[in-house]
Amino acid sequence: HILFVGPPGTAKSLLARRLAKICKGRFFERLLTRFSVPEELFGPLSLKELENDRLTRKVDGYLPDAVVAFLDEVFKANSSILNSLLTLLNERAFDNGDARISVPLLCAVAASNEFPEDNGLDALYDRFLMRRFVPCVSDSGVASLLRAALEVTPSRPSERC
């Protein structure tokens, strides 16, 4: 998993989207805040399952269904989301009701405008083995960045994930 840290406007989300195109997998993206709820990431509770006294989420199209994920401002999420992310990122598993399901996640890309200062976030920070500071793009580098953003995705299988 990859963590990009840098000021706003440094193309952190562009890097994540490019990775998803190269991998040709289901892509999930979410901006996290302290007000984000688990349903935004992990899917809504199934009403049919609730009728049978089971807390099961409908995960299709959400993070547990993604091959590549981009979690913007990951350290701003609340503790219930952060705790679920620990298992999902480390074990590539998601506890859905009374079942633990495997997730197809190849790579999670997270971004933040600052490094976490709260020691309670150390476990999540450790899940990102690749950590890079993304500086502001210089005036001379803007044209190169735009060209890279518009490039066609490689089509040869050897160039994919």
Side-chain angles (χ1 to χ4, degrees), residues 4 10-20 109 134 145:
F4 292 126
T10 54
K12 298 181 294 285
S13 58
L14 174 65
L15 292 169
R17 289 185 196 109
R18 296 279 296 165
L19 178 62
V109 179
V134 181
L145 176 65

Side-chain angles (χ1 to χ4, degrees), residues 1 20 23-30 41-42 59-71 88-89 92-94 101-109:
H1 304 300
C23 292
K24 296 188 184 277
R26 286 178 308 282
F27 181 64
F28 178 83
E29 177 177 357
R30 190 70 67 218
L41 270 77
F42 309 117
V59 298
D60 290 346
Y62 291 90
L63 181 57
D65 186 45
V67 172
V68 177
F70 176 54
L71 305 173
L88 196 140
L89 295 175
R92 289 186 170 70
F94 177 69
I101 60 172
S102 294
V103 298
L105 189 66
L106 287 178
C107 181
V109 179

Side-chain angles (χ1 to χ4, degrees), residues 6 16 24 28 37 41 43 48-49 82 87-91 112-114 118 120 124 132-133 138 141 143 146 155:
K24 296 188 184 277
F28 178 83
V37 293
L41 270 77
K48 285 186 179 182
E49 292 294 319
L82 295 173
T87 304
L88 196 140
L89 295 175
N90 194 50
E91 300 172 32
S112 180
N113 292 334
E114 65 267 334
D118 181 357
L124 182 64
R132 294 289 180 256
F133 180 76
S138 66
L146 291 174
S155 58

